[in-house]
Structure formats: structure tokens, C-alpha cells
Amino acid sequence: MNQSQERIVPAAGLQALEEDIFRKLGFTEEGSRLAAKSLVEADLRGVSSHGALRIPTYAARVQHGVVTTDGPLELIADHGATAVIDGRHTLGQIPGTRAMELAIAKAEEYGVGCVGVCHSHHYGTAAYYAQMAAAKGMVGMSMTNTAPLMPPLGGLKKVVGTNPISIAVPSRRHFDVVLDMATSTVAHGKLQIAAKEGKPIPLGWATDAQGNPTTDAKAAIDGGFLSPVGGPKGFGLAVIIDLLCGPLVGSACGDKLMPAARFFSAPQNCGNLFLAIRISAFRDLDTFLEEVDAYIDFIKSCPTNDTVDGVYMPGELEALRREQRLCSGIPLPEAVVRDLCELAESLGLEPKSYLA
Amino acid sequence: MNQSQERIVPAAGLQALEEDIFRKLGFTEEGSRLAAKSLVEADLRGVSSHGALRIPTYAARVQHGVVTTDGPLELIADHGATAVIDGRHTLGQIPGTRAMELAIAKAEEYGVGCVGVCHSHHYGTAAYYAQMAAAKGMVGMSMTNTAPLMPPLGGLKKVVGTNPISIAVPSRRHFDVVLDMATSTVAHGKLQIAAKEGKPIPLGWATDAQGNPTTDAKAAIDGGFLSPVGGPKGFGLAVIIDLLCGPLVGSACGDKLMPAARFFSAPQNCGNLFLAIRISAFRDLDTFLEEVDAYIDFIKSCPTNDTVDGVYMPGELEALRREQRLCSGIPLPEAVVRDLCELAESLGLEPKSYLA
């Protein structure tokens, strides 16, 4: 089968199918809904690396017992505007959604709320949670750590993850401003694509096995390393996120954190941190939204050369994609649809009835 | 005079001289102390761009009436764990220190505190404030916006500042982990140095006047633009910081924000945001500190190639420099010492008695 072939699936049907898959795997009604929603949102926004593609791996991890389905979540710390939820190694989307809801509730009361999750697992896109706060008239922040993928400058061992952070700021006339960035220069997938196509990669994306910056994608893949964005800046940010998602919340960091894919011997044990800042505690919300809209107008009016087709705000392309895909469906690679349907059938579901 | 000549000055004497300069300029005893402390700390840590070098410009801005000296600061919002302080266009170090103190006090009570400053001015290094929280067993975060210096991808106009962010995490056996990063790939000064020396710059540092990435430092200086770190990542982070330090706190953003140097017609009107997260609200502080120390051991034990002399944590080189300079004095360029002494003399002080 041609991997590049796509199939258009309706968002509602995809959500229903994913929910039923999670139910069949043993998750609660609510847990299934939360996990599926985060994944469908990722596919709607075009972040396909964090969508339906992940489900067969999640299912295998449940079947290997390294992802739990039985809950319930436990609040293991709760002081004023802060709290920690024990994720008990279930899918990170479940405690993640609960944690951001709690951070928002705390921000309603105290102006700001900060909630961590320990014993978590891959939680989908960081943006999903930051956007929850933006939808409530708040600034949202979300971050997670991952198993080590990057060395420090000149380093010869993976010591820190590509630990992403998302910050979302609401607007009124425009889409919310949603930054969601990994702390690597690019995703590892881009090295793989370049290596496959025999194309060079820009300096700064990766190093070879000796830790020297390389333009040779094959050298980067064969024993080389992904590089932090901006060198010490991305490395430093990744280290800070590791500390905030590990020691601060009581989860693993560094090499104590396990991979979430192609590894089935132990729970991932990542951590997440969520922050919500209620804008109305600082300023009149309407005034704020007007000023954000005016700022977006200003940024987007920047003249450009002909290498780009205009200026896009952080998260704008994803929001445009989402609007379009809500109407006309989500294009998914045939292989992703096939794997999802095979999983559904193995669980006794009839996937065709969902995706018609 | 040779610009590269240095003079060693004692930290205590420099602090006393700077305090007296600020007093003579009309600042209160306390404001003078706070402003001087931030600047001396920058010089101790080797961040000379944010130290004594700035004082003649600050003084000129006071004398032009675009920086005020008369305070007092006003708390214009105060809800639960959040607050906003009106900086009234005084030196940003004064409301900045007060704001982080208030964020720390709020974190003592609520677990987290978030305090903004509007109508602010250049506040020195972002790290200074984040470190205040780390010294109290908290995670500290500090950010500020600046006048526009960078375009978006393919852009032909400066629309966003090099808006820095600092996050500090305390440790016990090691130095605190202190990330302090501008959102540009490098400081503009590095382009100037390369242009002066006729050396090429790495791709990614800057573009030419047509917005195309360039290795020609002269082209970058002559109408070109500084580039955000990691392209859309650095640009997105700069945009988010502009929104959090502008509309959220009630200060300017984008091109409504004025430069803090070589411009004396209007107040800078930047904003700052400070966050403190009390670790003991999340976990036992001793356990946290042990885990952070173990993590630092792990990161620093990463094997390296011979292009580096080891692995340094964020802020470690600055902390080592500070320890050394507290004992043996701060090396300052002769030109910086001369300008500072000339200013002091013009205010009726005898600078030699301080720096002997």
C-alpha cells in the first residue's frame, strides 16, 4: 500500500470510534472520552504525530500492563492555588485534562492555579491543555517531560527529552495565540525523512555520533543526536521542564523516564505541569482582548518578502486547519486508518460503521 | 584608550558608588540600593551588558524625564495570588524587585504567586528576579518585553522584541539551575563584533535587508534583521512574552513599546511578569532538592567530545564567575569605569574613594 495515500474521515466518527476502542480496552466512559478528544483535536489541527497514529501503541501498552485503565485519580497534594494529581500510569490525557480543569478552578478563585501530574504517560499535544485555559479567558501553560533524546553541547549521550511547552493566550476577533514547541530544533521524524530521501539537513538540526554538527541526515540517524533548538537555550529549557515535570511533581526525569513507544517493560512515568492565569484578576478582560486583537493585527500587517505567503501567528495554521477539517473531514494516512481499524476489529468493533 | 583594557573593581565599592549615583539622581535610599544590587549582580555573573554599562544611559534618561525617580509604587490590582504594580516609569529594578517579593509572599500563602508590573523600564537581567524565588525554595520565573528588534519569518520590519525569559530552580549541593534566554538567536552585539572583524556569521543569526538568511554580518547590520532563535519557536515565544508583559499587565507591546537606549523622547513603558511556585506546596522540599542534585549529577556526567571542556548546567558558568569575582573583584572595561566615574564626578561624588 502507498503510505502517502490518504483517507478522509469525519471528526465525529473518529471520536466515536476512538472512544469505543478505549472502552473496549478497559477505560471508563469518561476516560475514553477525554483521551479520544485530545487525539481527535490533534488530528483536526494537523498535528498528526499526536493523533490517531498513537492509538495502536497506547493499546499495546495497555495490553502489556504498562498503561493502567482502572483509575480513579488521586489528589495527593492540594494547597491553596496548587495541587498534584497522581496519574497512576493511565493515559496522560485523563489526569492532564483533570489537572488543567483544577488549575482553571483554582485560578477562578485565586487568580492563578498551578497543578502537577505525577506517574503520567504521553498526554498528546501540550497545546490541548493550554487551549482549555484560553477558552475560559485565561492564559494557559502546559509542559511535559519525555525520555532522553538530546545531548548537551558536545555531548555523546542522550540525557534530556524534547520536552515540549505550550502557552496559549486568548483573543476575540482572531484565533487564540497558541505556542506549542518541542525543545529540539526539529522532530526526529524530519531526520528520518531526509535520510530516506537522501537529502542534506540544515546545520543545527542534529549531530553525528561524535557530537559534531552535521548536514548528513544518515549520520544523524546512525548513532547521531537530535540537537536542542538554539543550542544552550533549547537545552536549558528542556532541563528546566524536566525538573518541573519530574522532581517538582514527584515523577521521573532524565534517564529514569521511560520511552512511550517501542518499549513495553515499564511505565513511562513522565510528569506534567499546568498553569492557568485568570486575566480578569489582572485587567478588564474586554480591554485585554481588544489589545490582543490589535497586537495580532499589527504583527500580521508586517510586510514580507516572497519566500512566505504572509505572517501567521503561533497556532494560526493549526486553527485554520481545524476549521476546515471540522467541515470537510480529517485526511489521515491510509496506514493509520488501517491500523486503527484492525485494532477496532480485534476488539470486536465494526470500524466501517464509524468512518462512513 | 584601548577599549579592551580592563580594570578590576571590588563588588562592594561598585555597589556603594552605584547607590550614591542613584541617590544623587533623585532615587530614594531603597530604590538606589535595589537598582544598584541588580546591576552589580549582573557584573558579578559576567552579564556585563546588563551591569554598570547601563548606568550612564539610565542617568541620561532620568535627566530627560523619561525615567522617574519619585515613586511610590502603587498596587493597582491585588486578587488572591495575583497582583499588578504600577512602576510609574521608574527603573524597572525597583518595581521588579517589589513584584517578585510580592509573588514570593503570595506563594508562601497560596503555593503560587503571579505579579505583573506595568509602566516599567529596563529591569536588568531576567535571571535576577527568578533567582530571588529560588533562594526561597521556590521555582522563579521572570520575563519582560522590549522594543521591536525582530521580524517574523520572511518579514521586512521589526515587530517583536528579543523578549527574554528566565526560570530558576533551586538545588542544594550544586548551584541553582538558572535559565536566562533572550528569544533572538544571539544578541545584536555579536553581529556588530563580527561585522567589525569582517567575519562571517552562522546561518540563522540574522537576515539581510530583504529578509533572507545571511552569513554576511555587514549585510545583517546594514538594514538586516536579528533572527528569532529556532525561527517560529523563538518568534512565537517572543510574541507570547509580549502579550504577557503588555496587555496582561496593562503596559505597551509591539511598536507601542519604546527603546530604552539612544531614545529620550518617551518612557519605555515595557511590562514584566513574575511567577513564584513554592516547592513545598507540591512535595517535601528536601526530597525535591536531593532529586535535583541527583539530576544535575546525571546531566554533568554526560560524556563529551573534545570541542567542549565538560557539561555546564544553565547558569553554572555565571555562578562560578560570581564566586570568583566576589573574592577577586569584577573586571570592567576601562571605558565603562571611565564613563561611570565621569557621571559620578558630574554629580559631585569622588568615585576614586569607592573603587580603590
Side-chain angles (χ1 to χ4, degrees):
Chain A
M1 183 181 290
N2 185 340
Q3 292 281 334
S4 70
Q5 280 184 326
E6 285 182 340
R7 166 120 176 248
I8 309 288
V9 302
L14 187 63
Q15 169 81 27
L17 175 60
E18 294 184 4
E19 274 188 53
D20 282 352
I21 289 173
F22 287 124
R23 274 191 209 103
K24 290 282 186 184
L25 287 167
F27 290 93
T28 63
E29 293 281 317
E30 191 187 30
S32 301
R33 184 176 53 77
L34 297 182
K37 186 148 188 284
S38 146
L39 295 162
V40 172
E41 276 295 320
D43 277 323
L44 278 169
R45 297 175 78 238
V47 190
S48 53
S49 56
H50 289 61
L53 170 72
R54 293 274 176 170
I55 295 181
T57 302
Y58 286 177
R61 294 178 67 75
V62 169
Q63 285 153 355
H64 280 82
V66 294
V67 164
T68 63
T69 60
D70 52 6
L73 307 173
E74 194 189 350
L75 203 60
I76 56 172
D78 190 3
H79 301 288
T82 63
V84 179
I85 290 173
D86 186 341
R88 296 185 178 205
H89 306 297
T90 193
L91 291 178
Q93 287 88 348
I94 302 171
T97 306
R98 288 290 168 243
M100 186 47 108
E101 285 171 352
L102 185 55
I104 289 168
K106 286 182 176 291
E108 284 293 353
E109 185 170 356
Y110 300 106
V112 58
C114 185
V115 179
V117 175
C118 65
H119 308 141
S120 192
H121 179 264
H122 189 265
Y123 76 165
T125 67
Y128 181 75
Y129 310 94
Q131 288 183 287
M132 287 173 59
K136 299 281 185 184
M138 299 188 183
V139 173
M141 190 185 299
S142 150
M143 61 186 86
T144 186
N145 55 358
T146 75
L149 276 167
M150 307 188 295
L153 189 68
L156 298 173
K157 189 179 146 191
K158 299 169 184 174
V159 293
V160 75
T162 55
N163 307 343
I165 181 168
S166 174
I167 308 177
V169 178
S171 69
R172 177 163 285 160
R173 275 188 291 112
H174 294 281
F175 294 116
D176 293 347
V177 182
V178 184
L179 174 70
D180 187 355
M181 57 176 275
T183 44
S184 53
T185 306
V186 292
H188 199 265
K190 289 209 178 179
L191 306 184
Q192 292 164 323
I193 293 168
K196 208 168 169 182
E197 295 177 349
K199 287 184 180 164
I201 53 172
L203 264 185
W205 280 22
T207 66
D208 60 22
Q210 289 73 46
N212 298 310
T214 184
T215 56
D216 178 353
K218 253 187 89 63
I221 298 281
D222 298 339
F225 305 97
L226 207 53
S227 295
V229 59
K233 295 187 181 192
F235 183 75
L237 191 53
V239 159
I240 292 281
I241 293 171
D242 220 2
L243 291 171
L244 300 188
C245 295
L248 181 65
V249 303
S251 241
C253 62
D255 62 354
K256 301 205 166 55
L257 187 59
M258 298 295 125
R262 288 182 294 280
F263 177 83
F264 299 97
S265 312
Q268 185 185 17
N269 205 18
C270 67
N272 322 124
L273 193 69
F274 304 94
L275 189 83
I277 302 174
R278 175 162 56 84
I279 290 151
S280 63
F282 289 74
R283 290 193 82 201
D284 173 63
L285 182 59
D286 286 325
T287 308
F288 172 87
L289 294 172
E290 272 165 34
E291 289 181 15
V292 172
D293 278 337
Y295 179 81
I296 297 172
D297 289 336
F298 163 69
I299 296 284
K300 288 188 64 70
S301 72
C302 179
T304 59
N305 63 27
D306 59 9
T307 63
V308 294
D309 68 347
V311 177
Y312 293 93
M313 297 299 290
E316 185 178 358
L317 288 170
E318 290 80 3
L320 287 166
R321 235 180 254 129
R322 181 177 187 278
E323 282 203 336
Q324 207 222 316
R325 291 178 175 194
L326 275 175
C327 295
S328 56
I330 300 170
L332 287 179
E334 276 288 359
V336 169
V337 177
R338 185 196 59 211
D339 290 351
L340 195 68
C341 290
E342 279 179 14
L343 172 64
E345 281 163 7
S346 77
L347 295 166
L349 298 168
E350 288 181 20
K352 278 180 193 159
S353 64
Y354 295 85
L355 303 181
Chain B
M1 186 182 290
N2 185 341
Q3 292 280 335
S4 69
Q5 281 186 325
E6 286 182 339
R7 168 121 176 246
I8 309 289
V9 303
L14 188 62
Q15 169 80 27
L17 175 60
E18 293 183 4
E19 274 189 52
D20 282 351
I21 288 174
F22 287 125
R23 275 191 208 103
K24 289 284 185 182
L25 286 167
F27 290 93
T28 63
E29 293 281 316
E30 190 187 28
S32 301
R33 185 177 53 78
L34 296 181
K37 187 148 186 285
S38 147
L39 296 163
V40 172
E41 276 296 319
D43 277 323
L44 278 169
R45 297 175 77 240
V47 190
S48 53
S49 56
H50 290 59
L53 170 73
R54 294 274 176 169
I55 295 183
T57 303
Y58 287 176
R61 293 179 67 76
V62 168
Q63 285 153 356
H64 281 82
V66 294
V67 165
T68 62
T69 60
D70 51 7
L73 306 173
E74 195 189 350
L75 203 61
I76 56 172
D78 190 3
H79 302 288
T82 62
V84 179
I85 291 173
D86 186 342
R88 297 188 179 203
H89 305 296
T90 193
L91 291 178
Q93 287 88 347
I94 301 171
T97 306
R98 288 288 168 244
M100 185 47 107
E101 286 171 350
L102 185 55
I104 290 168
K106 286 180 176 293
E108 284 292 353
E109 185 169 356
Y110 300 106
V112 57
C114 186
V115 179
V117 175
C118 65
H119 307 140
S120 191
H121 179 265
H122 188 266
Y123 76 164
T125 67
Y128 182 74
Y129 309 95
Q131 289 183 285
M132 286 173 60
K136 300 280 185 182
M138 299 188 183
V139 173
M141 190 185 299
S142 149
M143 60 185 86
T144 187
N145 55 359
T146 75
L149 275 166
M150 307 189 295
L153 190 67
L156 299 172
K157 190 179 145 191
K158 298 170 184 174
V159 293
V160 75
T162 54
N163 308 343
I165 182 169
S166 175
I167 308 178
V169 177
S171 69
R172 179 164 284 160
R173 275 189 291 111
H174 294 281
F175 294 116
D176 293 346
V177 182
V178 183
L179 174 71
D180 186 355
M181 56 175 276
T183 45
S184 53
T185 307
V186 292
H188 199 265
K190 289 208 179 180
L191 306 184
Q192 291 164 324
I193 292 168
K196 209 168 168 182
E197 295 177 349
K199 287 185 182 163
I201 52 173
L203 265 184
W205 281 22
T207 67
D208 60 21
Q210 288 73 46
N212 298 311
T214 185
T215 57
D216 179 352
K218 252 187 89 64
I221 297 280
D222 298 339
F225 304 97
L226 207 52
S227 295
V229 60
K233 296 187 181 191
F235 183 75
L237 191 53
V239 158
I240 293 281
I241 294 172
D242 220 2
L243 291 171
L244 299 187
C245 295
L248 180 65
V249 304
S251 240
C253 62
D255 63 352
K256 298 204 167 55
L257 187 58
M258 297 295 125
R262 289 183 295 278
F263 177 83
F264 299 97
S265 311
Q268 186 186 15
N269 205 19
C270 66
N272 323 123
L273 192 69
F274 304 93
L275 189 82
I277 301 174
R278 175 163 55 86
I279 290 151
S280 63
F282 289 74
R283 291 193 82 202
D284 173 63
L285 181 59
D286 286 325
T287 308
F288 172 88
L289 294 172
E290 272 165 34
E291 289 181 16
V292 172
D293 279 337
Y295 179 82
I296 297 172
D297 289 336
F298 163 69
I299 296 283
K300 288 187 64 72
S301 72
C302 179
T304 59
N305 63 26
D306 59 7
T307 64
V308 294
D309 67 347
V311 178
Y312 293 94
M313 297 299 290
E316 184 178 356
L317 287 171
E318 290 80 1
L320 287 167
R321 234 180 256 129
R322 182 178 187 276
E323 283 202 335
Q324 206 221 318
R325 291 179 175 193
L326 275 175
C327 294
S328 56
I330 301 169
L332 286 180
E334 276 287 359
V336 168
V337 178
R338 184 196 60 212
D339 290 352
L340 195 68
C341 290
E342 280 178 14
L343 172 63
E345 280 164 7
S346 78
L347 294 167
L349 297 169
E350 287 180 22
K352 278 180 194 159
S353 62
Y354 296 84
L355 303 181

